[in-house]
C-alpha cells in the first residue's frame, strides 16, 4: 500500500493518468522495492504511450488477466462445464500460460477463503478488496477446498481457515 500510494503521488505530480489496479500490479512486481516500482512505472508509462492502464501493465509484465480468472471461477461455481471449457479455450487463444492461470486461481481461492472467514483480514493486494469480499459471498465456502499451494504459509493459513469453515473442533 505504501508503494502504491507513493506511485499515485508521483504520477499525479507528473500528470500521468494511472489505473489503481495497474499500480497494484507494479507494486507487487517490485516485491517491496520502491526503486524497482519506480523503474517499472517508467517502463509502463513508455509501454502505455503516456498512460498506465491495467491491461497494458498486465501485458507488459506477462501477468495473467485476473478478471478472466475470476470469470473462470464464476463459471466453475455455476457448474457450467460448457462455459468453463469455452473460457479455458479463450484463455489459451490469448496466449495464457496455464500454470500461471492455475497459480492465479489458487491465489484467488486462498483470498476468497480469507474473505469468507475473516473479511477484515483481506489485503488490498490488487486493488480488488471490495470485489473479492462481494465474490466471497457468492461462492460456497465448502466448494473450493484446495490443498496445494506454492507457498507453505498460504497452505497453513488456508488449512486453518478450512478447519474453521468445517467447524472442526478438538476438545482440549
Amino acid at each position: 500500500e505504501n508503494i502504491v500510494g507513493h506511485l499515485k503521488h508521483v504520477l499525479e505530480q507528473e500528470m500521468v493518468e494511472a489505473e489503481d489496479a495497474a499500480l497494484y500490479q507494479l507494486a507487487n512486481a517490485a516485491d517491496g522495492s520502491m526503486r524497482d516500482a519506480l523503474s517499472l512505472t517508467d517502463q509502463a508509462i513508455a509501454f502505455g504511450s503516456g498512460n498506465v492502464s491495467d491491461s497494458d501493465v498486465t501485458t507488459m509484465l506477462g501477468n495473467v488477466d485476473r478478471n478472466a480468472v475470476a470469470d473462470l471461477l464464476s463459471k466453475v461455481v455455476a457448474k457450467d462445464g460448457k462455459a468453463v471449457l469455452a473460457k479455458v479455450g479463450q484463455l489459451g487463444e490469448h496466449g495464457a500460460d496455464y500454470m500461471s492461470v492455475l497459480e492465479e486461481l489458487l491465489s484467488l481461492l486462498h483470498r476468497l477463503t480469507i474473505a469468507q472467514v475473516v473479511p477484515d483480514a483481506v489485503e488490498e493486494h490488487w486493488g480488488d478488496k471490495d470485489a473479492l469480499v462481494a465474490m466471497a459471498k457468492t461462492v460456497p465456502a465448502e466448494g473450493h477446498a484446495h490443498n496445494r499451494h506454492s507457498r507453505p504459509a498460504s497452505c497453513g493459513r488456508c488449512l486453518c481457515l478450512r478447519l474453521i469453515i468445517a467447524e472442526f473442533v478438538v476438545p482440549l
Side-chain angles (χ1 to χ4, degrees), residues 35-94:
R35 179 178 290 173
D36 288 352
L38 291 168
S39 175
L40 287 169
T41 302
D42 283 341
Q43 292 174 40
I45 293 168
F47 189 87
S49 301
N51 295 316
V52 181
S53 74
D54 189 40
S55 61
D56 283 345
V57 171
T58 297
T59 301
M60 182 187 90
L61 296 175
N63 288 341
V64 174
D65 180 352
R66 291 175 319 284
N67 293 325
V69 173
D71 187 39
L72 173 62
L73 180 60
S74 71
K75 291 170 182 4
V76 169
V77 169
K79 298 181 181 180
D80 187 345
K82 186 175 180 179
V84 167
L85 291 177
K87 188 64 181 184
V88 169
Q90 183 184 36
L91 286 165
E93 288 172 8
H94 288 100

Side-chain angles (χ1 to χ4, degrees), residues 102-103 106-107 110 145-151 154-155 158:
L102 292 174
E103 287 174 9
L106 282 173
S107 175
H110 178 215
H146 51 287
N147 59 9
R148 296 195 63 154
H149 287 278
S150 58
R151 297 182 179 161
S154 295
C155 184
C158 203

Side-chain angles (χ1 to χ4, degrees), residues 73-151:
L73 180 60
S74 71
K75 291 170 182 4
V76 169
V77 169
K79 298 181 181 180
D80 187 345
K82 186 175 180 179
V84 167
L85 291 177
K87 188 64 181 184
V88 169
Q90 183 184 36
L91 286 165
E93 288 172 8
H94 288 100
D97 171 46
Y98 287 113
M99 284 305 293
S100 296
V101 170
L102 292 174
E103 287 174 9
E104 187 61 37
L105 187 57
L106 282 173
S107 175
L108 177 58
L109 289 169
H110 178 215
R111 295 181 68 226
L112 280 171
T113 300
I114 292 171
Q116 289 172 329
V117 180
V118 191
D120 293 340
V122 175
E123 297 175 6
E124 192 67 69
H125 192 64
W126 294 106
D128 64 349
K129 181 178 180 177
D130 293 337
L132 186 75
V133 171
M135 181 184 232
K137 294 175 183 173
T138 67
V139 176
E142 66 279 356
H144 57 89
H146 51 287
N147 59 9
R148 296 195 63 154
H149 287 278
S150 58
R151 297 182 179 161

Side-chain angles (χ1 to χ4, degrees), residues 1-12 23-24 34:
E1 296 254 358
N2 290 337
I3 291 177
V4 171
H6 185 69
L7 293 178
K8 281 183 183 181
H9 176 73
V10 168
L11 293 172
E12 285 171 3
L23 299 181
Y24 278 98
M34 186 63 74

